[in-house]
């Protein structure tokens, strides 16, 4: 599993950046931009990679896994990612 440090190292090498700090700033800027766009209800599409969007979930009944008791799950909003064709082909 690649974690943040591994991602920063990979970005630094791929973009031929001089320091890990500059890679960190670039990665942080990308994630921050996506997060802000989603918080405004916008979609973020990266051709070939995928699309980030916000979806509304309906209220529904659920079960407490420990007790089996029924409970009401509130409607909500959550982020969703749909992989693009290039990404899908890369992981086949």
């Amino acid at each position: 599993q690649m974690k943040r440090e591994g991602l920063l190292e990979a970005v630094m090498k791929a973009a031929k950046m001089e320091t890990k700090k500059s890679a960190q700033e670039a990665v942080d800027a990308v994630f921050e931009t996506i997060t802000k766009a989603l918080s405004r209800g916008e979609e973020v599409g990266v051709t070939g990679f995928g699309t980030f969007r916000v979806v509304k979930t309906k209220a529904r009944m659920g079960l407490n896994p420990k007790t089996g008791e029924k409970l009401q799950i509130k409607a909500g909003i959550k982020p969703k990612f749909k992989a693009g064709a290039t990404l899908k082909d890369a992981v086949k």
Side-chain angles (χ1 to χ4, degrees):
Q1 174 183 1
M2 182 182 284
K3 298 197 177 194
R4 184 175 183 83
E5 286 300 312
L7 177 62
L8 294 177
E9 289 284 336
V11 168
M12 187 175 85
K13 288 177 185 175
K16 298 179 179 136
M17 295 177 160
E18 297 287 325
T19 65
K20 191 184 278 188
K21 183 178 180 189
S22 58
Q24 180 176 343
E25 290 170 352
V27 169
D28 289 347
V30 169
F31 290 139
E32 185 177 319
T33 301
I34 292 169
T35 301
K36 284 182 180 178
L38 291 176
S39 72
R40 294 189 300 263
E42 299 174 11
E43 280 190 9
V44 178
V46 181
T47 303
F49 184 74
T51 303
F52 298 89
R53 63 189 174 107
V54 175
V55 294
K56 293 180 181 179
T57 59
K58 295 179 181 179
R60 63 193 189 281
M61 291 301 292
L63 290 176
N64 180 327
K66 288 185 179 180
T67 65
E69 179 183 348
K70 289 185 178 182
L71 56 109
Q72 179 69 28
I73 300 172
K74 296 179 184 178
I77 298 172
K78 65 180 184 176
K80 190 166 186 173
F81 175 75
K82 182 177 179 186
T86 305
L87 180 59
K88 286 179 184 178
D89 290 343
V91 297
K92 281 186 179 179

